[in-house]
Every structure is written in C-alpha cells, then in structure tokens.
Amino acid sequence: MLRSKFYPLPKQKPSIIYQYRFFNQRTLYLFMNILVTGGAGFIGSHTVVALSEAGFTPIIVDDFSNSNHSVLRGIEKILGHKPRCYPDSCHDSEVLRRIFTEQKISGVIHFAAFKAVGESMREPLKYYDNNVGSLIV
C-alpha cells in the first residue's frame, strides 16, 4: 500500500511547491501552477482570484478579444500582486509549449471561448474553431 504524507515546503513566491514523501522515502515535488485560458474574462478572472486565495499560482493566457486589460488591474487590486499573464491566443501551439516549459504547469482550466448566441448562429465555424479548436492545440 502506498502511503503518503503531505509536507508543504516554505512558500516560494510566486510559485508554491508541494513535497510528497512516500514510505520508501522518494520525494515528489509538485508545482501548483494552473493555466487559466480566458483568465481575463468574467468567469476566468473570478477563478484566478479563487485559485490564488486557495494557494495555487494561476497563469493567465488571454488574447483580450472578448475581455479588457483593466480586469488585470482589478485582479491585482484584490490579490495585492500582479497576476502572471500572457497576452496570446491559445491557438498558438508554440506559445503554449513555451508557457508549459517556463511555468511548469500542473493543470489547465479552459475558459477561452466565444459566447454570443446570435453571432454563433451567423458564424458557426468561427465559434467551432475558437471554442473547440483551441482545445486540441
């Protein structure tokens, strides 16, 4: 049976590293950096604040096609520090590869999507490409 004990290391700002020690004394370090696509949108920005308050380090990727840069100032005001943000599209595989390499991402929450019903009826391929295509990059 695999038993583990949870040992948080001293907080290293802006990343938090968790250390797990198993019965055989092997140590696993887990970086709790969470990529939030669309993190400057309404739901994404609230999620960024909640993740940060829960001890995670959210990393935002947002091309600001459906949001505003002022949201980042609001997040900064709430958290007391500027969130990490990449003003890029999550359709760009090279950008995502670089972010995953630099930031040691442990998880992804995908909110980068278009949501206007009327426009989605007029331009379904645009919505399909953005809302589904960005998932498979």
Side-chain angles (χ1 to χ4, degrees):
M1 179 167 85
L2 181 65
R3 290 185 223 156
S4 66
K5 253 187 167 173
F6 176 71
Y7 297 95
L9 291 175
K11 287 187 179 182
Q12 297 180 357
K13 285 295 179 187
S15 293
I16 295 175
I17 303 172
Y18 289 97
Q19 177 184 22
Y20 293 88
R21 290 194 187 202
F22 297 98
F23 68 95
N24 62 0
Q25 298 302 310
R26 282 189 296 170
T27 303
L28 170 71
Y29 295 98
L30 181 62
F31 294 86
M32 300 305 288
N33 296 338
I34 308 297
L35 184 71
V36 183
T37 66
F42 181 79
I43 297 171
S45 62
H46 284 77
T47 302
V48 165
V49 170
L51 285 169
S52 189
E53 289 174 346
F56 295 93
T57 303
I59 288 100
I60 298 170
V61 174
D62 201 311
D63 65 1
F64 297 95
S65 64
N66 209 9
S67 59
N68 194 313
H69 285 69
S70 66
V71 172
L72 297 177
R73 288 191 296 276
I75 293 171
E76 182 177 1
K77 190 181 250 185
I78 292 167
L79 298 178
H81 62 86
K82 192 172 184 173
R84 290 189 214 169
C85 181
Y86 291 84
D88 295 302
S89 171
C90 53
H91 278 91
D92 190 337
S93 60
E94 292 303 315
V95 167
L96 291 177
R97 187 172 286 113
R98 180 174 49 86
I99 293 169
F100 271 82
T101 302
E102 289 174 2
Q103 300 297 334
K104 296 180 175 53
I105 302 296
S106 295
V108 177
I109 301 175
H110 182 62
F111 291 125
F114 293 147
K115 61 191 177 305
V117 176
E119 185 183 41
S120 72
M121 298 298 286
R122 289 188 304 276
E123 300 181 63
L125 293 179
K126 173 185 171 184
Y127 274 66
Y128 179 82
D129 179 50
N130 186 68
N131 297 0
V132 178
S134 62
L135 287 170
I136 56 177
V137 171

